[in-house]
Each structure stands twice: as structure tokens, then as C-alpha cells.
């Protein structure tokens, strides 16, 4: 389950929906990760561009990986502007086992940061400034720069 | 024709090109100085699948996407 | 914040309360861990005994540890009987940084399993059977058995 | 007097003993065969702090607790 929303996420409602959806699935461990916009560097918020076709393929590959460990993953992300102290990202894993869940949420969130085709912009004085210094080049980048 | 799209912060309109592989695209884009940084730090996808080799063949109707450094969350 | 409840936990309400409590605290990452009773081994549920004075000391030590990493932890646990598919345990960490939060929830949950003075019983045919085979001797155990 | 409490699944009523250290408590409890397994796998706390040495001194009013293997969550 991957769902994109315009603007900040309604975290309590999303968490309740996910928990309820799996309430009879017999998973022993449920670990959500919630990312919230911090007030720092004089920003007014953040803004996100998402390239959905590749995001969906990336997520599908992780769903398959989760299945091999009898786990389930879900994810929600914001599109466009998200203000200070609002949340822009929720990922979660359900698993029969505690260890699997703890390891999986870690791997999933780290790969999300390194690979998911989402671009972040600082909102400053009403302008959108690409956060290049906090961004990560996708593995294999630079191919077209080779001479 | 091959359609080339520039994603996220790359401020460039899509191109329609008559090329046969990524190597030709690299040569073309390297002629544009303002693309140098993006060429160095972006990944490339053909029809929404990331590719890792320049001699990747392109056929009529293919879509090439350039993906600059990401930061979700 | 450590809170004990009689019976299963109201997970959506507890998560919403914790999220709301820290909504202006400028934490970038929030990771809850939710433990739910699995239907296995023909049990009707689980039951818990808790020795509160030592649990509170243990939790306080982790709160201090969290503080040194600019993080906050919260925890809720059930006392007595908890039925199948109900949740008995929620722990969470809030932190400015993703990496700290991911590492901290892992360490905290593992030490909870190894050290928190809570005893688990299977509920079978209305009887309470101590789950010795799934339990962990606290570090330093066996002192009084030395001859 | 020293109060000795048996926590969780140890089905034993509290004791009130006139002893000066944990070593004496160990000797006393080792005389009860049904305590053998619990003595081998339980931790010991004095006044709700875990202790790791048998020559831990006890004074009047102290509380000793035996904590068998745990499994929260």
C-alpha cells in the first residue's frame, strides 16, 4: 500500500487505518516510521516533487522483498508543500517477528532515502530552493556525463 | 522518436530526439554547459527502469528520464 | 512517560496522544513499536505480571540515556490478561535525527525484552502457564544458587 | 528483619528473616529443593536495585526480591 497525499499527512488517521487493516492478520510486531518537518535554517516548510512511475516500481520491489520475510510494508508521502511540524512521510512494517520488523524498517527507510525518486525543496521567502546538499545521487548516477 | 524528460529540479523542457542509444544522448547533452552538473549527478531510466550502461539500445517511442539526487521523507 | 493499563491497549488513541504531545517539540523522526498477541500454540491470549518499582527505575535509566542523544522515549504496557490480536506493548522514540531514532528503538526494545521485570503467561483452557521457554534470565541471574 | 519477596511465577509467600547478607539467604533457600531452579535462573534486587555480589550487606528493613526470567511485550 503506497499512497500519496497533497500537503501534510494526517498521521493519527493513517496509523489507525493501517493498524485496523492488519488487526486480524496475526502480525506480532508493527513499526511505523514518521518523518516530520523540523523548524531549522529559517525555512517555512519543505516541498516535494515525486516521480510516481519509478516510485511505484521501487515500492513494489520492496513489497516482494517483504513477502519473502512474511512481512508487509505500507507507505504514505506528501506531494507539494508541507509546513513546519507537519509530517510528510510514514512508512511501516508488519511482521510476525520482532527482529524481522526492527531490521526491515531500518533497511527500508535507508533505501527510501537513497533511492526513492522524490525531490526536496526548502521553502524560504515563498521560494522553492532545491535541497541539493541533503540529497543523495541514485546508485549508478553520472552515466550520461561520461565522455 | 525518443522522448527525454528531466525530473525534479532540472529546469529543462522535454526533448524529442532521433537517436538509437544512450551514448548518443550523452554526446548531445554534453554540448549544453548548464547540463554538466546534472549529467554528473543524475541517474538515467529508460521506460521507468534505471539503466547502468551507455550502450543501452533505444527504439522508437522509448522514454528516457534523468533523475537528479533524491531526498524523500 | 511510562503508563501501565489493565488489559489490551487502545493503540490508535495512545499513538495519537503521543504524536500530539510532541507535535511542536521539533522532532524529525517518531518511531513507535507495537507488540500484538499472535494466535499460536492454541493460546486464548497472554497474561502479564509486572513489578513496577524496578520497571520504573529501568525506564528512568533509559529516559536519561535518551536525553543524552536529544531523544525522548515513551512506553505503555498491559497488566493482566490480553486477548488474541490485542496489543500489550507500545514503545516509541522521538528524535531530531532519523539514524538516532532507528538505532534507539532497536536498542530500547531489545533491552526491554532482556531486562524489564515483566512475566508472561500463556492463557490455555482458562489457566495461566508461565512462558519460561520464551523468557530471558536477567543479566547476573543465578547469584543465590551459587554454593 | 529482612523481607524476601518472590516475584512473578515463583509461587512462594514472602519471608521475614533475620540475616546480615545475601550469602546467608542463599544458604537458607538452597535447603528448599523446589527453589533450586529459581535460584539458578533468577536475579536478585535489594531495595529494588539489582545486585551482583553475594556478600552484599543487608540491614534491618531491607527488601530482597527474586526476579525469575522475564518476557515483556
Amino acid at each position: 500500500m503506497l499512497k500519496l497525499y497533497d500537503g501534510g499527512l494526517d498521521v493519527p488517521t493513517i496509523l489507525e487505518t493501517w493498524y485496523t487493516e492488519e488487526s486480524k492478520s496475526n502480525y506480532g510486531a508493527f513499526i511505523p516510521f514518521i518523518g516530520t518537518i523540523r523548524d531549522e535554517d529559517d525555512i517555512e516548510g519543505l516541498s516535494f516533487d515525486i516521480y510516481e512511475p519509478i516510485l511505484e516500481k521501487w515500492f513494489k520491489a520492496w513489497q516482494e522483498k517483504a513477502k519473502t520475510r512474511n512481512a508487509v510494508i505500507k507507505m504514505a508521502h506528501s506531494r507539494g508543500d508541507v509546513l513546519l511540524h507537519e509530517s510528510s512521510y510514514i512508512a511501516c512494517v508488519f511482521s510476525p517477528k520482532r527482529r524481522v520488523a526492527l531490521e526491515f524498517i531500518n533497511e527500508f527507510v535507508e533505501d527510501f532515502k537513497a533511492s526513492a525518486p522524490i525531490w526536496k525543496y526548502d521553502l524560504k521567502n515563498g521560494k522553492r530552493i532545491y535541497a541539493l546538499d541533503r540529497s543523495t545521487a541514485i546508485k549508478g548516477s553520472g552515466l550520461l556525463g561520461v565522455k | 522518436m525518443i522522448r527525454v524528460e528531466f525530473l525534479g529540479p532540472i529546469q529543462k523542457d522535454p526533448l524529442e530526439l532521433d537517436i538509437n542509444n544512450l551514448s548518443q544522448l550523452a554526446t548531445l547533452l554534453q554540448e549544453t554547459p548548464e547540463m554538466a552538473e546534472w549529467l554528473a549527478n543524475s541517474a538515467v531510466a529508460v521506460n521507468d527502469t534505471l539503466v547502468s550502461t551507455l550502450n543501452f539500445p533505444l527504439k522508437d517511442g522509448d522514454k528516457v528520464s534523468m533523475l537528479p539526487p533524491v531526498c524523500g521523507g
Side-chain angles (χ1 to χ4, degrees), chain A, chain B:
Chain A
M1 223 280 301
L2 163 62
K3 207 159 171 192
L4 304 177
Y5 295 81
D6 293 323
L9 304 177
D10 179 349
V11 172
T13 300
I14 292 171
L15 292 178
E16 173 160 17
T17 302
W18 291 353
Y19 180 73
T20 305
E21 278 169 3
E22 303 299 339
S23 66
K24 302 289 175 196
S25 311
N26 214 25
Y27 291 117
F30 167 40
I31 309 182
F33 175 100
I34 297 102
T36 300
I37 312 301
R38 299 191 67 217
D39 182 358
E40 58 186 351
D41 300 329
D42 298 318
I43 61 168
E44 290 133 25
L46 297 175
S47 191
F48 298 92
D49 284 344
I50 300 181
Y51 185 58
E52 298 187 24
I54 292 184
L55 182 66
E56 270 157 27
K57 282 193 179 187
W58 171 85
F59 187 75
K60 204 164 192 168
W62 271 97
Q63 275 183 310
E64 293 301 318
K65 203 168 165 181
K67 208 180 279 178
T68 66
R69 299 205 225 167
N70 300 312
V72 158
I73 50 169
K74 297 173 193 261
M75 184 177 126
H77 203 287
S78 298
R79 266 186 299 238
D81 296 355
V82 185
L83 303 183
L84 296 182
H85 307 308
E86 291 186 337
S87 299
S88 54
Y89 177 49
I90 319 183
C92 83
V93 57
F94 287 90
S95 154
K97 299 282 172 201
R98 168 180 101 252
R99 278 304 329 148
V100 170
L102 285 165
E103 284 160 21
F104 213 84
I105 192 71
N106 194 349
E107 290 172 39
F108 180 73
V109 169
E110 289 303 315
D111 189 55
F112 167 82
K113 281 282 174 184
S115 310
I118 302 180
W119 297 277
K120 179 179 283 179
Y121 305 81
D122 289 333
L123 292 174
K124 276 189 179 179
N125 307 314
K127 276 188 209 142
R128 242 176 155 227
I129 304 159
Y130 174 48
L132 174 61
D133 56 327
R134 276 126 65 207
S135 299
T136 306
I138 294 172
K139 211 181 149 200
S141 285
L143 192 64
L144 294 184
V146 175
K147 296 191 186 180
Chain B
M1 292 297 260
I2 308 296
R3 183 179 170 85
V4 183
E5 296 183 347
F6 302 90
L7 302 180
I10 312 180
Q11 302 282 334
K12 190 171 168 66
D13 291 333
L15 303 173
E16 298 276 347
L17 299 172
D18 190 11
I19 53 178
N20 302 312
N21 58 48
L22 288 179
S23 210
Q24 289 173 291
L25 177 61
T27 305
L28 266 167
L29 291 176
Q30 286 173 17
E31 287 167 8
T32 316
E34 59 268 33
M35 282 301 293
E37 194 182 345
W38 296 121
L39 293 179
N41 67 14
S42 294
V44 182
V46 176
N47 300 328
D48 297 329
T49 297
L50 292 170
V51 297
S52 57
T53 169
L54 269 184
N55 55 31
F56 197 94
L58 298 173
K59 58 181 193 308
D60 190 37
D62 278 354
K63 176 177 69 172
V64 176
S65 313
M66 276 195 65
L67 297 92
V70 297
C71 188

